[in-house]
Amino acid sequence: MSAVTEVITKIKATNDQLHSFREVFEQPEEGNGVGLLQGLPIAIKDNICTKEGHTTAGSQILKNYQAPYEATVISRVKDAGAVIVGKTNLDEFAMGSSGEYSSFEQPRNPWDVTRIPGGSSAGSAVAVAGNQVPLALGTDTGGSIRQPAAMCGVVGVKPTYGRVSRFGAIAYGSSLDQVGPFAKTVKDAARLLQVIAGPDARDATTSPQPVPDYLAACGQDIVGLKIGVPIEFFGDGIDPDIAKVVRQALDDLKEQGAELKEISLPLTSAAVAVYFLIAKAEGSSNLARYDGLRYGTSPVEDADLLQHYLQTRGTLLGPEVKRTLLMGAYALAAGHIDAWYKQASQVRTLIRRQYEQAFQHLDVIAGPTSPEVAWKFGAKADDPLAMYLADALTVPMSVAGLPALSLPCGFSQDLPVGLQLTATHFAEDKLFQLAHAYEQSHDWHQQIPPNASQ
Amino acid sequence: MASAKLNKEEISKIAYLSRLQLTDQEIEAAAGHLSEILGHFSAIQDIDTAGIPTADAASDLKNVTRPDTANATDLADPAAVLASAPKVNNDQIQVPAIF
């Protein structure tokens, strides 16, 4: 247990500055499992239910919530020997791209504490980047693992829709959400996905497809692997310096034997609208259950039922969650549903087909994870559209249900830049193969942020 | 094509349907933000989707079933459930009257 005690001491020494953890488990349950994660400390995004501690989803409405059951991914990491050391901060209900929408403390980027860490799995990315823990779990609906991984300089994976059980993960967009790993290295991310992937009788959307050996994929050579490079991923709205760093990474992969092929995915620019219309519609429906009656909390005393609902939700939900409820209800309302929700769903089919066609001739599609590096706190505070557009390069894969991985590939303005790799459904092994080959020929993963734990 | 302009009355109406009490300031801000966001999103209405099915199934799975059997490990501990309820009376969760 001494390794774990050491980790908890490290977390406590740095958490006042980084605010990555919302809750630290002082005396974590000793791992009783034997497996791939033997003795490894792991941090859990606070929208994944654990029996230990609280599960708040970053929201005041669940401030006191103690889940009566644990998520399947939690049982699996415990069975593999991991030790859960705490719950990490996030944008409220995983809605946000900066971490600033947490209703608790503001998680900070360990590379520059005046900047956002990205979101929504902000605390999980910071905990790994800041050397507090070697592993963390996050959730990714439209980029919530990949984007903070890119901004904090760590590896983050959004698995294929259906690869990992969501049982016990608090729902945002049910046709999009996936749980996935954060780690310092590609191999550690592969190890964690290996443990959590696979069918679960408690989540009917999990796939029975066999789980490949992800660890074996790390170390296979990449000669002849075909990488598609969409021109749209380097176009308008992408910081030219990020484009340069990512182009260099792609040239390095070519040097290692991969084949680069320029392609076009013309519907890329439609993905932000499609994603947010669908995610907000699903989110508005999923969040109907938070009423402060059966669990959670409510400031309302002795009001009738309607007043109780109105006041509890009006008082305890934050700005982006309120926007979700309004936009989602609007897009689904009679008179609006055809023009907004249904049209978005039809364009979603077209985006999927575009990727299916592209993957007939390609192994992987590559580009930047984020159009910009971590921005200063408050820079997009009153501009939700700008915040949404920051997800432009991660939402297309979410809409198509594809697996995608972000790994560090250099720096711009002394801040980390992420390379995003996407494969066809259930081909996470290809992502690990390529990412590991790139990682091992560079030293980005050994760079330590100035505000990391020593 | 649907208009992307939302006024304060429309925001108030959907907020009420969403069981969400908003301040006047929040209603005004939401009208501005949602009009701007949907104005930007309205570009997708120019994409030809005639004859294209909606993407209702997020995966290829169909008719996922399981045996209809009770499983004790699927049940939460009643004490844990009650511990998370805001108001408890006689081992039952107390809520406002519906009528």
Side-chain angles (χ1 to χ4, degrees), chain A residues 140-142 146 158-162 166 172-179 274-280 282 348 352 395-401, chain B residues 58:
Chain A
D140 189 314
T141 306
R146 294 162 283 158
K158 183 200 90 76
T160 307
Y161 184 84
R166 287 102 47 87
Y172 169 11
S174 298
S175 74
L176 300 153
D177 298 339
Q178 272 292 288
V179 179
V274 168
Y275 167 78
F276 278 99
L277 286 164
I278 290 169
K280 298 304 187 190
E282 294 178 2
R348 184 180 189 179
R352 272 193 205 164
V395 293
M397 302 79 187
S398 299
V399 162

Side-chain angles (χ1 to χ4, degrees), chain A residues 19-33:
Chain A
H19 297 302
S20 40
F21 282 82
R22 191 203 47 72
E23 185 172 4
V24 181
F25 298 161
E26 303 267 344
Q27 287 173 318
E29 195 180 303
E30 201 161 342
N32 50 8

Side-chain angles (χ1 to χ4, degrees), chain A residues 246-288:
Chain A
V246 172
R247 290 264 187 212
Q248 179 61 52
L250 295 173
D251 287 345
D252 293 351
L253 284 168
K254 192 177 171 189
E255 201 114 299
Q256 289 180 257
E259 291 170 26
L260 299 186
K261 197 178 162 200
E262 191 156 282
I263 62 165
S264 176
L265 296 170
L267 286 170
T268 298
S269 63
V272 167
V274 168
Y275 167 78
F276 278 99
L277 286 164
I278 290 169
K280 298 304 187 190
E282 294 178 2
S284 72
S285 171
N286 276 324
L287 265 64

Side-chain angles (χ1 to χ4, degrees), chain A residues 168-207:
Chain A
I170 291 177
Y172 169 11
S174 298
S175 74
L176 300 153
D177 298 339
Q178 272 292 288
V179 179
F182 283 95
K184 267 270 161 75
T185 65
V186 173
K187 218 167 177 174
D188 279 352
R191 187 184 298 278
L192 181 48
L193 184 62
Q194 194 81 55
V195 167
I196 60 173
D200 176 16
R202 289 173 167 162
D203 177 356
T205 64
T206 50
S207 169

